[in-house]
Amino acid sequence: MPERSSLPVAVIGAGPVGLAAAAHLVARGLPVRVYEAGSEVGAHVRAWGHVRLFSPWRYNIDPAARALLEAEGWIAPSDDGFPTGHELADRYLAPLAATPELAPVVETGARVTAVGRLGMDKAGSRDRAARPFVLTVTDPGGGIRRDLARAVIDASGTWGQPNPLGAGGLPAEGEADLADRIVTGIPDVLGRERAAYAGRTTLVVGAGHSAANVLLDLARLADGVEGTKAVWATRGTDLSRVYGGGEADELAGRGDLGTRLRGLIEGGRLPLVRGFAASSVRECCGRLLVDGTVAGEPRTLGPVDRIVVATGQRPDLDLTREVRLDLDPWLESVRALGPLIDPNLHSCGSVQPHGHREVSHPEPGFYTVGIKSYGRAPTFLMLTGYEQVRSVADALAGDLAAADDVRLTLPQTGVCSTSRASHAGSGGCCGPVPADAQTADAAGCGCGVPA
């Protein structure tokens, strides 16, 4: 069996937090190997590359990463500028991965499909910690190899694992069959996907910042293209998180996002259905109807032409089936963070400073970091991930004093509550929704509505 101390630390994911982990490990003199499933670093970031971040550059650059870049003559963007996802990847992530320290250790097109212990399954305990980790890695050509590592930092994120339209956590009936008109995440409504939304009606489901971005883009498109409409449906009734604290938000971009979205609702430009639980989607006369309930009563939304499902992401747990994890039972976050970020209890999603101890597991040497450490919970900031991996790198280097000295100051949202009271607007739980945008009926579509 190979000596564990001679093996590299494996980092899964070459996004902002994964590359920051590599930078901190390099600074500590530890060997590292970074695996990125995408064809280039920051692949998940590029998936929403047209979106402008609400956090400025000063919050998006890790200190250890900055040191590597500046040693190569890199000129940092203005601290107060707000990058798009593409700018973050082009001006920060790609140059970072190209530094002499990281270029030899970052492998793109390398998908880690499983992690375990060499020669021992999950049930085995004897001398478990002494055995190296083994990673099953698939390359673009379909070849499979197994690499060994002394420790594993899982920074693979959650972007590639979207939650479905169905309110119960499972796909709605008909969702898979109509997938060509149902998209997840943040489509490029004003850019490359403009033709799919111009002059059409789109239902956006979700109550987070992804949904807000899509709705604001659709409103801009409607200003220039006649017939472009949007309908907004949320599973919950409390919109305080997405509306935010306005001018009280320490991230001005985040506050402005919520203020503009609220303005669409209060100005009557955007029909809103709160508390909608989707159960099925079906085609009717070439358009889509979504069946569900509001407060237990049947409701059908539509007809619409497209559906954007912006209901959040979930972690890929198949990757770590043979690793002993300790997860929050409902959020699937690392257990220590669950009570601090539970959206059932907290409206702001802020979290107290935490490091290697909170993101570790019963599996010695395995850490879940970045947005994946939050599981299904929203409102993660890159600053949180940067401090997580700084602490983990210090712990792996044996400097527990530095690892335990966790310091994290997050910009406040301006709205933070530990009670999730309902905030229904005027017009009952659905707000001022025009009938033709709220509910389909036999006269409007020619298709019957379920009783």
Side-chain angles (χ1 to χ4, degrees), residues 1-382:
M1 185 182 300
E3 181 65 35
R4 286 184 63 240
S5 60
S6 65
L7 297 173
V9 176
V11 177
I12 305 174
V17 177
L19 290 178
H24 283 279
L25 291 165
V26 165
R28 280 293 191 169
L30 296 175
V32 57
R33 186 76 184 174
V34 182
Y35 300 87
E36 170 55 49
S39 60
E40 56 187 330
V41 299
H44 284 175
V45 173
R46 290 193 181 279
W48 46 266
H50 59 286
V51 177
R52 190 166 299 281
L53 280 72
F54 51 63
S55 54
W57 275 109
R58 66 176 177 272
Y59 289 131
N60 299 323
I61 300 175
D62 173 80
R66 181 188 290 271
L68 290 182
L69 286 163
E70 290 182 344
E72 297 302 309
W74 179 73
I75 304 299
S78 169
D79 280 352
D80 296 326
F82 292 84
T84 63
H86 283 311
E87 290 169 343
L88 182 71
D90 290 338
R91 301 183 64 184
Y92 172 53
L93 299 181
L96 176 59
T99 58
E101 294 83 359
L102 296 192
V105 302
V106 176
E107 181 182 2
T108 58
R111 180 177 297 277
V112 178
T113 58
V115 181
R117 290 283 187 180
L118 182 62
M120 179 175 289
D121 65 17
K122 190 174 185 176
S125 297
R126 185 177 179 83
D127 297 326
R128 185 176 186 87
R131 294 176 177 264
F133 288 95
V134 58
L135 287 74
T136 302
V137 184
T138 303
D139 63 34
I144 298 176
R145 71 175 193 267
R146 287 172 173 81
D147 292 353
L148 301 181
R150 61 172 288 191
V152 177
I153 300 175
D154 185 359
S156 58
T158 61
W159 185 259
Q161 303 288 323
N163 289 325
L165 171 65
L170 301 175
E173 182 181 351
E175 186 172 347
D177 295 335
L178 297 168
D180 60 325
R181 283 175 282 176
I182 302 174
V183 299
T184 60
I186 312 176
D188 190 0
V189 170
L190 298 175
R192 66 181 183 275
E193 298 171 78
R194 176 188 176 96
Y197 297 91
R200 293 179 169 87
T201 299
T202 302
L203 170 66
V204 179
V205 182
H209 295 109
S210 294
N213 274 292
V214 177
L215 290 163
L216 290 169
D217 282 351
L218 287 168
R220 286 184 59 191
L221 185 60
D223 289 338
V225 180
E226 185 177 356
T228 303
K229 299 178 182 178
V231 181
W232 184 21
T234 64
R235 292 172 175 174
T237 57
D238 180 3
L239 304 182
S240 58
R241 183 186 296 109
V242 66
Y243 283 163
E247 294 181 358
D249 196 318
E250 292 184 16
L251 288 179
R254 182 171 58 188
D256 178 64
L257 191 73
T259 298
R260 288 188 290 142
L261 181 61
R262 184 192 289 270
L264 291 179
I265 297 297
E266 295 179 349
R269 292 191 59 193
L270 177 62
L272 167 63
V273 181
R274 303 178 193 241
F276 180 72
S279 58
S280 67
V281 58
R282 54 196 168 93
E283 188 174 24
C284 174
C285 306
R287 305 183 78 193
L288 301 178
L289 297 175
V290 183
D291 301 319
T293 59
V294 173
E297 296 297 323
R299 180 70 60 84
T300 297
L301 303 186
V304 299
D305 301 294
R306 292 181 72 80
I307 301 171
V308 176
V309 182
T311 54
Q313 318 288 323
R314 59 180 64 179
D316 177 8
L317 299 182
D318 286 341
L319 171 71
T320 51
R321 183 177 295 277
E322 288 302 317
V323 177
R324 295 179 173 181
L325 301 185
D326 188 18
L327 301 176
D328 183 272
W330 45 87
L331 294 182
E332 296 175 342
S333 66
V334 292
R335 184 180 292 273
L337 295 185
L340 306 177
I341 59 177
D342 187 347
N344 296 293
L345 303 174
H346 306 283
S347 63
C348 58
S350 60
V351 62
Q352 66 188 37
H354 62 279
H356 72 107
R357 297 188 187 277
E358 289 80 9
V359 299
S360 63
H361 295 277
E363 191 74 71
F366 189 92
Y367 304 88
T368 304
V369 301
I371 195 169
K372 193 169 185 178
S373 70
Y374 271 40
R376 300 188 183 204
T379 64
F380 178 84
L381 292 177
M382 276 184 271

